[in-house]
Amino acid sequence: MCFYEGLATVTVLARYQAREPAELTSLECPVRLIHVGSGRVRVELQHYLQGPKEANALRVMLPHGTMVQGLLIDGSNQPTGGWLLIDVEQYDLVLEQPGTLNGWQWQ
């Protein structure tokens, strides 16, 4: 079920223990957010989303102030668009051990 479609501020993060956090923010990024059950959200993109190498988390800030953030589980980030699946966190993102993406890597 789509619960938001429009422009948002999207931040791609690389957060790991014993490393300095890295992030890259895209303003006014067209997205579509779809609730896919069990605390997971699919973020659909209309174009390639820039991010730091080894990104493992995503934060989406909607214009009315709601924030959706979580660890990246799966996705496809292509020049013509794509999608990212995140496990939604209700609080601050935790630092993760490297290699927690189940084989999926930020491209």
Side-chain angles (χ1 to χ4, degrees):
M1 170 200 312
C2 177
F3 65 91
Y4 178 80
E5 187 168 1
L7 299 178
T9 299
V10 180
T11 304
V12 182
L13 304 110
R15 298 179 56 92
Y16 294 99
Q17 292 179 356
R19 291 191 200 173
E20 193 67 31
E23 61 183 56
L24 186 62
T25 299
S26 297
L27 303 174
E28 297 186 0
C29 183
V31 297
R32 185 173 181 199
L33 302 180
I34 301 169
H35 176 64
V36 293
S38 187
R40 291 188 174 176
V41 171
R42 179 181 166 115
V43 181
E44 294 185 348
L45 307 163
Q46 292 183 8
H47 57 78
Y48 182 80
L49 186 61
Q50 297 289 331
K53 185 178 178 181
E54 298 179 342
N56 64 347
L58 190 73
R59 179 180 299 131
V60 181
M61 183 67 74
L62 305 181
H64 57 276
T66 299
M67 180 174 60
V68 178
Q69 68 179 1
L71 297 177
L72 290 166
I73 300 170
D74 199 0
S76 174
N77 190 21
Q78 303 296 322
T80 57
W83 58 275
L84 299 168
L85 183 63
I86 62 172
D87 249 341
V88 177
E89 300 273 339
Q90 291 187 344
Y91 305 100
D92 287 337
L93 292 169
V94 297
L95 297 177
E96 290 294 312
Q97 297 289 340
T100 59
L101 295 178
N102 297 326
W104 186 79
Q105 291 190 10
W106 185 263
Q107 299 292 328

